[in-house]
Amino acid sequence: MSDNYEPNIVAFLCNWCSYAGADLAGTSRVQYPANIQVIRVMCSGRVNPLYVMNALQQGADGVLVSGCHPGDCHYMEGNFYARRRLGMLKDLMEFVGVDPKRFHMSWVSASEGHKWKEVVEKTVEDAREAGPFEGFRRRQIDW
Amino acid sequence: MTEKPKIGVYVCHCGINISATVDVETVADYALKLPNVEVARTYSYMCSDPGQSLIKNDIREHGLNRVIVASCSPRMHEPTFRKAIKEAGINPYYLEMANIREQCSWVHHDIDEGTAKSKKLVAASVAKVRLLEALESKEVDAEPSALVIGAGIAGIQAALDIADAGFKVYLVEKTPSVGGRMAQLDKTFPTLDCSACILTPKMVDCASHPNIELLSYSEVEEIGGYIGNFDIKVRKKARYVDFDKCTGCGDCAAECRVKDRFPSEFDMGMGKRSAVYLPFPQAVPAKYTIDPESCLYLTKGKCGKGPKCAEVCQAGAINFDQVDETVEFRVGAVIVATGFDPFDASRKPEYGYSDYPNVITGMEMERLVSASGPTGGKIKIFNGKEEIEPKEVAFIKCVGSRDESVGNEYCSRVCCMYVAKQAHLLRDKLPDANIRVYYMDVRAFGKGFEEFYDRVRRENVRYIRGNPSEIFKRGDKLVVKVEDTLTATPLEDEVDLVVLGVGLEPRADMRQTMELLRLSQSPDRFFLEAHPKLRPVDTATDGVFLAGCCQGPKDIPDTVAQAKGAASSAMIPLARGKVVISAQVATVDESTCRGCGFCVNICPYTAIELVTVNRFGHEVEVARVNEALCKGCGSCSPGCLSDSIQPKSFRDRQILPQIAALGVFK
Ligand SMILES: Cc1cc2nc3c(=O)[nH]c(=O)nc-3n(C[C@H](O)[C@H](O)[C@H](O)COP(=O)(O)OP(=O)(O)OC[C@H]3O[C@@H](n4cnc5c(N)ncnc54)[C@H](O)[C@@H]3O)c2cc1C
C-alpha cells in the first residue's frame, strides 16, 4: 500500500434524510474528505445489496449506505428493508472474504450535517485501513 | 432506445460558491470528452434567466435531448431546470443534476480535490442521463378541503383563513376545548391586550363557521394517501356527555360527588375541577366532558346510589354508554399546528421547583395574575404560616432554554418578553414589592419589544445580570444564590416568590404526529420545515404544512403570521382543484414477472397487486402497480427475484452505470 493511497468511496443516500443531511453539511460549510461520491436514491430501501458488491467490483474501495433513522423513514418502512438486506450482506461479505470495514451503513437525518461528516470520516478511515480493494476482477465501464 | 443521446453539460460557477473550489472550466472540458456529450459550458449563475436561456438555446440549436446541470443540490433547483428544458421542448425527466456545491465545493477546501470530484460526479451523471426515460406526470383531482391538527391560535387562524376562502376545514383538537396555550395567558406582550378578549371571538368563530367541522376531544389516528387526496381517520373520544343535548349549564359539575377534587389542567394544577368539567368558562365548544380517569362511576363502577351528574342533568345529556367514535374523510392538504409543551421545571432541581411551593413557573404565573384564575387575579401566596402578599419577587430567565445541560441549546424567544410582561403586571398589583429579574441577556427583538422592556425597567423592576446557581430555603424565605456578573458580586437574595421563566419545548407526544405524517425533526427537536428560509411552512411531504410553535418557539404575532402562511400554501392545491402526482413510480415488466408476490408484501402503500394476464395463451399472475398509490420509494425492487419491478428514473439500468462511472477513477 503506497502512502498516498486515497480510497474511493461510493455512497448511496436516501433523498429525504441522508442526502438532505449531506446538503446541510454543505450549507453549514462543514469540511470532510473528498473521497466520497454520492449516488442519490429515493429511499435506502431502494439499494439493492448487489449495488454494494457491484461498486466494489467496479473500483470502489468502500461503500456507504445511509438512510433515515429507524422509525423515521419517509416511506414508513424502507429503511427497515435496507437494514435487513444490507445486514445480511455484511455477514455474507465477511464469508466471501471481503473486509467488512469496506461497508458501512448509517442513519443520518436531514438535520444531522455534523453527523454526516463523522460518518464520512469513519468510512474513509476504515477503507483506508483496509487498503486498496483488489478482491474482485475489475470491469471498466463500457461506454 | 430509439434516438441517440445528445447531451449538454452545464457547469455553474454559482458566483464563486463553486468556482472557488472547483475549476469549472476544467470540468467542462473534461465533460466534453465524455460519450454523447455535444456541448459543455460554464456560466456564472445557471439558474438565472440568461443561464436558463443558454441551456434552452443549445437544446434548440444543437438538438440536445439530455441535459446535465452541475451546480447545487437537486433538492434546490431540479424543478427549475426541469421546467426550463421542458420549455425548450424536451421531456423534463431527461435531466440529471450533479451536486457540486453542497456536496463538493462547500465541503472541500482543496481546488484539485474539488475539481477531481466534480469530474467524477459529472461522469456519473452522463452515465445515467443517457439511460433515463421520458416520463409524463399525471394530474389528479384534489379534494377541496383541509385538515388542521391542533386548535391553538395557530390552528384556529389557519382554519379560519381556509374556511373564509370557501373551503371545508376539519379542525381536530385533542383536548375538550380549542384555544391552546394562548387561552391560558392573562395579558399578551407587548401591547398588553387581554388574551381572552382577542382569542375568544376567534374560538367562537371557528366553532360556528359553516365551513369548519370542529372535532374537539379527538385525535387523528391514520393518514393515508398523498397531496390532494389524504385519507384521514379521526377518533372522537367519548365525552360521556351527549354533545347535542348538553347545554353547558354546569349543574353536573356542581353536583359531582368528587367536586373540585382534581387539579385543573387549565389552571396549571393551582385550581381544582370536578370529574365532569368544562376546562375553563369560555371553553369552545361549551360542552362538558367526563374525565374517565377521575370519574367514580367510570373508575370504580359505582358512584353513590347512582351518578349525581346524570340525576341533575335536566337535558339528560349524561351517557355512560358512550363509546369512542371513528370518523373518516378525505382532504387535499394538512396543516400541523400542535404547539409546544412548557419546559418541565423539575428538570432543573437546583431551583427547587418540586420542593418549594413558592417557586412557580411562568405558565403558573399567567394563571395567578389572571382575573379568571384560581385566585381571581390576587397575588397571594402561603409562606408556611399565613397567606401573604409577596414583598420580594424574583424572576429567573432562560430556565430550560439556552441550556445544554437539559439538551436545549435554543432560545425560546418568548420568555424575555413574558417575564417583562409579568413583572409589569405584578408591579400593577404589588406597587411596593421589590421585583428583580435575573437574566443572561435580554432579547427584545420584535416590534414594540424594546420599547416595552424599557418601560418595564422604568417601572422600578431591577434587572440583575446573572444566572442563579441555586435556590434554597432560609426560615420562611427563599434564597436566590447568584453572582451579579456586571459587578462581580456574589448575592444571596431573600425573596418570597420565585417565578421561573420556563422555555418552550417540543411536545412530549410529538412522535405520534411525526409517525402519522412522516415528519422530521430539526436539531432542536421541533418539526423540520422544508427549507429554513424559503419554505418555512412546508414539510418534506407535499401537501403537509406547519404552523405555530410545533415548528419552533415563537410568540403570538409570529404564530399567526405563520398560520396565515400555512393556510395560503395549503389553499394552492385546493384552489387549483388538481395536483400533479409524481411520475417517478415503480413499473413492472410483465413479460418477466413471475407473479411471486414478494413486492406486494413489501410495499408499504399497498400499491401493488397481483392480476391475471394472458401470456402466450397461458393465464398467469403478474404484479401491477397502482400509480396513484405508489410513492416511488423503490423498496420493492431489491426484493424482486427477476428484477421485473423497477422504480422509474431509479432503475437498475440507470443506477448501475452511475456506479461503474464512479469506479473507473482508480
Ligand atoms: C408563560 C408563557 C407566556 C406567554 N406569553 C405570551 C405573550 O404575552 N405574548 C405572545 O405573543 N406570546 C406569548 N407566549 C407564547 C404563546 O403561548 C405561543 O406563541 C402560542 O400559544 C402558540 O400557539 P400554537 O397554536 O402554536 O400552540 P399551542 O398554544 O400549544 O396550541 C396547540 C394546540 O394543539 C393541540 N394539540 C397538540 N397535539 C395535538 C394532536 N396530536 N392532535 C390534536 N390536537 C393537538 C393542543 O391541545 C393545543 O390546543 C407565551 C408563552 C408562555 C409559555
Side-chain angles (χ1 to χ4, degrees):
Chain A
M1 198 192 317
S2 67
D3 278 347
N4 54 14
Y5 159 65
E6 284 296 336
N8 183 26
I9 314 283
V10 173
F12 298 92
L13 268 54
C14 81
N15 182 57
W16 304 99
C17 293
S18 295
Y19 196 91
D23 276 355
L24 178 66
T27 324
S28 323
R29 309 297 198 277
V30 170
Q31 300 293 309
Y32 58 78
N35 311 48
I36 193 148
Q37 279 76 233
V38 170
I39 293 178
R40 182 172 70 113
V41 288
M42 294 315 278
C43 178
S44 56
R46 199 287 161 254
V47 180
N48 195 319
L50 287 176
Y51 290 178
V52 177
M53 300 310 253
N54 192 265
L56 291 171
Q57 185 181 27
Q58 302 281 8
D61 304 298
V63 181
L64 169 68
V65 177
S66 190
C68 306
H69 284 268
D72 288 355
C73 178
H74 184 78
Y75 302 105
M76 305 200 281
E77 304 171 350
N79 57 359
F80 290 140
Y81 288 115
R83 187 166 66 178
R84 265 284 175 87
R85 290 167 182 159
L86 297 165
M88 252 166 74
L89 175 78
K90 201 157 175 118
D91 295 343
L92 180 74
M93 281 172 88
E94 229 178 320
F95 181 74
V96 299
V98 178
D99 189 340
K101 279 210 188 89
R102 298 192 185 280
F103 174 53
H104 284 261
M105 242 191 299
S106 65
W107 317 119
V108 173
S109 80
S111 61
E112 293 177 326
H114 282 274
K115 182 169 178 198
W116 170 243
K117 167 196 165 84
E118 285 162 21
V119 166
V120 173
E121 284 173 349
K122 174 80 181 140
T123 309
V124 172
E125 190 187 310
D126 278 6
R128 200 187 299 280
E129 242 173 66
F133 182 63
E134 310 286 1
F136 302 150
R137 194 151 53 89
R138 285 278 152 69
R139 273 203 329 216
Q140 289 255 313
I141 183 170
D142 171 19
W143 293 102
Chain B
M1 215 160 307
T2 45
E3 48 172 10
K4 185 171 157 288
K6 284 178 142 186
I7 308 171
V9 177
Y10 298 88
V11 188
C12 183
H13 297 233
C14 194
I16 57 162
N17 279 301
I18 293 172
S19 58
T21 353
V22 172
D23 181 345
V24 288
E25 299 302 340
T26 306
V27 175
D29 290 346
Y30 164 79
L32 204 52
K33 297 195 199 95
L34 293 170
N36 305 113
V37 176
E38 299 275 321
V39 208
R41 297 185 198 277
T42 73
Y43 189 70
S44 51
Y45 291 100
M46 276 302 166
C47 59
S48 68
D49 247 3
Q52 293 187 39
S53 304
L54 189 81
I55 301 176
K56 290 189 210 170
N57 288 341
D58 279 355
I59 291 175
R60 294 192 190 102
E61 265 173 45
H62 298 264
L64 302 179
N65 54 20
R66 300 286 190 282
V67 170
I68 290 166
V69 183
S71 60
C72 50
S73 170
R75 294 173 54 89
M76 179 99 192
H77 271 314
E78 195 176 62
T80 314
F81 293 114
R82 284 232 162 105
K83 188 161 161 275
I85 69 169
K86 187 177 176 199
E87 281 164 7
I90 66 177
N91 188 283
Y93 291 89
Y94 281 150
L95 171 82
E96 196 46 36
M97 288 186 73
N99 184 346
I100 61 167
R101 194 180 72 170
E102 281 84 344
Q103 296 185 11
C104 187
S105 71
W106 277 350
V107 287
H108 310 310
H109 275 317
D110 187 288
I111 190 156
D112 292 334
E113 280 181 2
T115 308
K117 178 167 168 177
S118 299
K119 285 184 185 173
K120 293 190 200 183
L121 293 173
V122 167
S125 298
V126 170
K128 182 176 183 184
V129 83
R130 303 189 309 160
L131 297 157
L132 284 177
E133 61 214 297
L135 301 178
E136 295 303 329
S137 32
K138 289 201 182 89
E139 277 199 334
V140 296
D141 289 340
E143 195 71 27
S145 60
L147 164 70
V148 178
I149 309 176
I153 182 58
I156 292 176
Q157 186 61 56
L160 285 174
D161 280 10
I162 298 173
D164 282 346
F167 302 106
K168 166 118 194 161
V169 182
Y170 299 87
L171 177 58
V172 176
E173 167 58 45
K174 197 171 196 164
T175 67
S177 172
V178 304
R181 294 285 168 192
M182 186 176 168
Q184 291 174 286
L185 307 180
D186 179 44
K187 304 279 190 300
T188 53
F189 64 73
T191 46
L192 297 175
D193 309 77
C194 142
S195 189
C197 314
I198 55 176
L199 179 64
T200 317
K202 284 190 187 284
M203 290 166 57
V204 173
D205 278 358
C206 80
S208 59
H209 201 295
N211 285 341
I212 298 181
E213 183 164 336
L214 175 59
L215 298 159
S216 56
Y217 206 46
S218 300
E219 282 177 52
V220 180
E221 288 212 312
E222 271 178 50
I223 300 186
Y226 49 92
I227 181 170
N229 294 280
F230 291 105
D231 290 312
I232 315 290
K233 204 181 263 182
V234 172
R235 187 164 56 89
K236 288 171 84 173
K237 292 176 276 191
R239 282 177 189 260
Y240 305 103
V241 173
D242 188 306
F243 193 88
D244 297 322
K245 289 185 187 159
C246 175
T247 61
C249 68
D251 288 350
C252 51
E255 293 298 326
C256 174
R257 280 208 173 80
V258 280
K259 181 178 177 209
D260 295 344
R261 292 259 200 98
F262 305 98
S264 144
E265 293 82 0
F266 183 78
D267 277 334
M268 300 304 295
M270 295 187 299
K272 299 276 193 258
R273 63 161 170 82
S274 310
V276 55
Y277 69 109
L278 195 65
F280 53 104
Q282 306 89 335
V284 170
K287 306 283 178 182
Y288 278 72
T289 304
I290 298 180
D291 174 10
E293 271 155 40
S294 36
C295 169
L296 281 180
Y297 190 75
L298 287 172
T299 51
K300 306 237 158 54
K302 194 167 178 305
C303 172
K305 287 204 194 72
K308 265 275 187 71
C309 51
E311 212 173 286
V312 298
C313 179
Q314 306 260 322
I318 307 289
N319 174 7
F320 285 103
D321 297 329
Q322 218 178 52
V323 287
D324 292 1
E325 219 183 291
T326 309
V327 278
E328 291 181 35
F329 49 87
R330 180 173 273 202
V331 296
V334 178
I335 293 179
V336 180
T338 49
F340 67 96
D341 274 346
F343 175 77
D344 171 10
S346 64
R347 280 169 55 204
K348 295 287 287 178
E350 59 271 37
Y351 291 157
Y353 175 72
S354 310
D355 306 322
Y356 313 128
N358 291 336
V359 176
I360 65 170
T361 67
M363 211 58 228
E364 288 163 352
M365 191 59 185
E366 292 290 336
R367 297 313 303 143
L368 201 59
V369 286
S370 169
S372 70
T375 60
K378 292 205 177 58
I379 311 297
K380 291 271 188 220
I381 58 168
F382 189 69
N383 72 357
K385 288 182 236 143
E386 54 186 335
E387 210 160 71
I388 57 158
E389 231 178 36
K391 297 245 164 339
E392 304 280 341
V393 183
F395 284 91
I396 300 178
K397 295 210 298 192
C398 295
V399 178
S401 313
R402 306 172 67 199
D403 182 350
E404 282 186 54
S405 74
V406 294
N408 295 343
E409 223 182 311
Y410 58 86
C411 163
S412 288
R413 298 175 61 102
V414 296
C415 325
C416 279
M417 292 313 291
Y418 84 61
V419 162
K421 167 188 76 175
Q422 294 180 350
H424 164 85
L425 297 173
L426 282 194
R427 171 56 71 232
D428 257 6
K429 302 200 174 201
L430 309 168
D432 303 321
N434 267 319
I435 304 176
R436 303 182 183 82
V437 177
Y438 301 97
Y439 71 100
M440 287 203 275
D441 295 286
V442 176
R443 297 183 167 172
F445 53 84
K447 184 166 173 168
F449 287 12
E450 185 67 25
E451 297 90 321
F452 184 76
Y453 163 55
D454 265 351
R455 164 180 171 187
V456 172
R457 270 198 312 181
R458 282 197 304 272
E459 291 170 346
N460 195 18
V461 170
R462 270 181 62 203
Y463 273 73
I464 299 165
R465 188 164 180 277
N467 198 5
S469 55
E470 195 185 351
I471 292 172
F472 55 90
K473 193 118 191 179
R474 185 183 287 155
D476 52 17
K477 293 280 188 189
L478 292 164
V479 180
V480 180
K481 196 169 167 193
V482 61
E483 183 190 327
D484 179 338
T485 55
L486 292 182
T487 59
T489 328
L491 303 172
E492 287 195 0
D493 291 338
E494 291 195 352
V495 301
D496 302 310
L497 175 67
V498 176
V499 185
L500 303 177
V502 290
L504 276 50
E505 280 204 313
R507 282 182 67 101
D509 61 5
M510 73 186 295
R511 245 305 1 124
Q512 213 183 320
T513 316
M514 269 178 77
E515 284 172 13
L516 273 177
L517 284 159
R518 320 313 311 164
L519 299 175
S520 303
Q521 291 166 293
S522 38
D524 57 13
R525 309 187 312 287
F526 288 94
F527 289 136
L528 177 71
E529 61 282 3
H531 188 279
K533 287 150 201 134
L534 301 180
R535 298 181 65 199
V537 302
D538 308 57
T539 67
T541 310
D542 282 344
V544 178
F545 305 92
L546 302 174
C549 289
C550 64
Q551 181 259 346
K554 44 183 80 63
D555 52 32
I556 297 165
D558 285 0
T559 297
V560 171
Q562 200 187 21
K564 287 181 159 286
S568 92
S569 294
M571 282 190 279
I572 296 172
L574 312 192
R576 266 200 78 217
K578 294 234 177 278
V579 285
V580 178
I581 55 169
S582 173
Q584 292 174 324
V585 293
T587 177
V588 177
D589 182 344
E590 293 189 357
S591 68
T592 55
C593 174
R594 315 186 192 171
C596 68
F598 283 6
C599 54
V600 177
N601 293 333
I602 292 170
C603 181
Y605 300 102
T606 56
I608 313 172
E609 56 179 356
L610 288 180
V611 295
T612 308
V613 295
N614 187 309
R615 195 152 67 195
F616 308 120
H618 301 279
E619 301 266 293
V620 292
E621 282 202 310
V622 296
R624 190 166 287 170
V625 177
N626 178 338
E627 299 200 341
L629 293 180
C630 175
K631 305 213 187 209
C633 68
S635 285
C636 50
S637 192
C640 178
L641 298 177
S642 56
D643 295 334
S644 300
I645 190 160
Q646 297 281 329
K648 292 178 187 168
S649 295
F650 293 92
R651 292 177 186 264
D652 288 339
R653 66 168 146 87
Q654 292 155 341
I655 292 176
L656 290 171
Q658 254 181 310
I659 299 175
L662 292 177
V664 291
F665 288 86
K666 279 308 284 191

